[in-house]
Amino acid sequence: MTFINYAAREINCKIVYYGPGLGGKTTNIQFIYDKTGTGSKGKLISLATESERTLFFDFLPIELGTIRGFRTRFHLYTVPGQVFYDASRKLILKGVDGVVFVADSQEARMDANVESIRNLRENLKEHGYTMERVPYVLQLNKRDLPTAVPTADLVSALRLNEEPVFEAVAPKGVGVFETLKAVVKSVLVDLKNR
Amino acid sequence: MAVSDLVLLEADHARFTTVLQRLCKDANARFVFLIDKNGQQLASAGDVSALDPTSLASLAAGNVAATDGLAKLLGEREFSILFHEGEHDNLHINVVGGKTILLVIFDERSSLGLVRLRVKKATAELAGIVHDITTRSQAQRAAVGSLAPFAEITDDDIDALFS
């Protein structure tokens, strides 16, 4: 749910990074945090287990600049990818304005990718959204691994419609900002067209 | 979108702030925040310059969402009040009008009883304002069909954000 604050002249949108466990969602957010100037970002909040797996969510507020006199603020969240944290994933999707799906390119994780997209569809539905309507970007992460499936095969298996697709190596930042820009653009275009 | 977008005008903000300032004073609280259920800050009272309101709002909304989940597991509709007691500061959280969350941060200069009493009164006023905003946003959406002035955004405006 986009929140427009005329008093503060700002617009706030919520973007959620979704995907299977250990796919690189937190790494995306961490890279954005590391490379964003101090004045444009808030604190990175990570609610993680002792083994650094996301327990509830990661949260990073960033500011991109002004549009029509309004500051644009994007609240980036990740969900815990592990299957048994479904209740948390549902909660975090509440009020979402845009979704990035971070797929794991490794062949062994293909079933997990497919299951996670199915889970995303179900959880969006519970909030009254559809995958076809929500601004959505697909990121194919871990492209540097020797076990990575060819891009064309991943696109064929995971791409739903005409959503933008980006290849990424999140720890090195490859494709991270391109993905963020694409989802931000989709959110703003959606806002404009509503 | 499933949920109507929230548009907060300056007059709404002023109404919220008036209620929050009074609550902050009457409850002898340090800070008072009003946030929406998605974790966005709507208004505040007290000297919040030493705090990180954005993170506070996000975590409080997450806390309320998780508590809602717990309530449902137990067959309750909701747990409308949460209280966190610290060594120095305490946090009183309650849901207002189904859509917003009121946070009161207080220390030993106040008491849970006083906060509860004052919050109860303020909650009714805040719920009325939330209702007005929601009704107006829905009516505007029905009449105009878009979120002016964002219907005027051009592709160039969007591209300029990334230049």
Side-chain angles (χ1 to χ4, degrees):
Chain A
M1 182 175 76
T2 315
F3 167 44
I4 301 170
N5 187 339
Y6 277 79
R9 302 288 293 175
E10 66 184 29
I11 177 163
N12 291 270
C13 303
K14 178 172 180 176
I15 292 171
V16 174
Y17 283 68
Y18 212 93
L22 293 175
K25 301 175 291 297
T26 299
T27 312
N28 264 268
I29 297 268
Q30 183 72 52
F31 188 84
I32 293 165
Y33 177 77
D34 291 342
K35 296 295 174 189
T36 303
T38 316
S40 305
K41 67 183 176 188
K43 269 187 194 153
L44 172 63
I45 303 257
S46 282
L47 304 182
T49 62
E50 282 181 13
S51 57
E52 300 296 312
R53 304 291 296 271
T54 304
L55 177 62
F56 193 8
F57 60 73
D58 305 302
F59 169 65
L60 175 63
I62 57 166
E63 245 183 74
L64 283 182
T66 60
I67 196 162
R68 299 263 156 174
F70 283 75
R71 289 193 303 167
T72 54
R73 305 184 75 214
F74 291 87
H75 293 202
L76 311 183
Y77 287 82
T78 69
V79 297
Q82 289 152 289
V83 172
F84 46 85
Y85 286 133
D86 196 41
S88 302
R89 282 193 294 276
K90 271 184 201 158
L91 296 176
I92 293 150
L93 280 177
K94 190 180 173 68
V96 69
D97 292 302
V99 176
V100 172
F101 187 87
V102 181
D104 189 325
S105 293
Q106 299 175 92
E107 191 168 7
R109 299 297 288 157
M110 277 305 289
D111 285 351
N113 289 327
V114 172
E115 167 55 23
S116 184
I117 289 182
R118 188 203 62 76
N119 177 257
L120 170 61
R121 186 185 290 278
E122 287 293 309
N123 285 340
L124 282 173
K125 205 167 147 189
E126 287 210 12
H127 289 295
Y129 301 93
T130 64
M131 295 281 282
E132 289 69 31
R133 293 275 324 266
V134 77
Y136 179 71
V137 172
L138 173 63
Q139 183 190 82
L140 308 175
N141 195 23
K142 305 195 182 184
R143 294 307 305 157
D144 57 334
L145 296 184
T147 48
V149 173
T151 304
D153 293 354
L154 282 170
V155 168
S156 162
L158 303 177
R159 195 181 193 196
L160 302 173
N161 293 305
E162 297 299 311
E163 74 266 21
V165 181
F166 295 91
E167 296 186 57
V169 183
K172 294 179 181 163
V174 177
V176 170
F177 275 97
E178 290 80 355
T179 304
L180 175 64
K181 283 176 187 176
V183 74
V184 163
K185 195 165 183 175
S186 297
V187 168
L188 292 172
V189 167
D190 180 61
L191 184 63
K192 171 189 165 184
N193 293 336
R194 269 191 255 153
Chain B
M1 286 286 143
V3 189
S4 62
D5 295 283
L6 190 67
V7 178
L8 188 75
L9 302 180
E10 283 188 40
D12 305 322
H13 188 259
R15 288 176 73 191
F16 279 142
T17 304
T18 302
V19 178
L20 296 186
Q21 282 174 340
R22 193 189 319 130
L23 171 62
C24 194
K25 183 168 170 284
D26 291 350
N28 225 6
R30 292 184 64 203
F31 320 101
V32 180
F33 287 93
L34 188 70
I35 64 176
D36 81 356
K37 274 196 158 181
N38 301 320
Q40 326 261 24
Q41 187 194 334
L42 303 180
S44 66
D47 180 12
V48 298
S49 56
L51 288 176
D52 175 2
T54 309
S55 299
L56 192 68
S58 169
L59 288 170
N63 199 343
V64 168
T67 308
D68 277 351
L70 284 173
K72 285 189 177 64
L73 283 177
L74 295 176
E76 283 289 327
R77 192 172 62 82
E78 66 174 10
F79 292 128
S80 54
I81 294 175
L82 284 75
F83 176 59
H84 301 296
E85 186 175 291
E87 198 176 335
H88 302 292
D89 288 314
N90 310 299
L91 184 55
H92 185 279
I93 302 175
N94 73 310
V95 177
V96 177
K99 291 180 166 45
T100 57
I101 300 165
L102 179 65
L103 270 72
V104 180
I105 300 166
F106 64 97
D107 57 21
E108 67 281 356
R109 287 172 295 177
S110 186
S111 68
L112 180 57
L114 178 65
V115 168
R116 281 204 170 182
L117 185 71
R118 300 304 188 196
V119 159
K120 198 171 179 183
K121 189 182 169 205
T123 297
E125 282 184 74
L126 293 170
I129 302 170
V130 171
H131 179 261
D132 290 349
I133 294 171
T134 309
T135 309
R136 186 195 61 221
S137 293
Q138 285 168 351
Q140 274 179 343
R141 173 55 63 82
V144 183
S146 67
L147 278 172
F150 296 97
E152 310 287 317
I153 291 177
T154 63
D155 288 350
D156 288 344
D157 289 332
I158 296 171
D159 288 338
L161 279 181
F162 302 111
S163 59

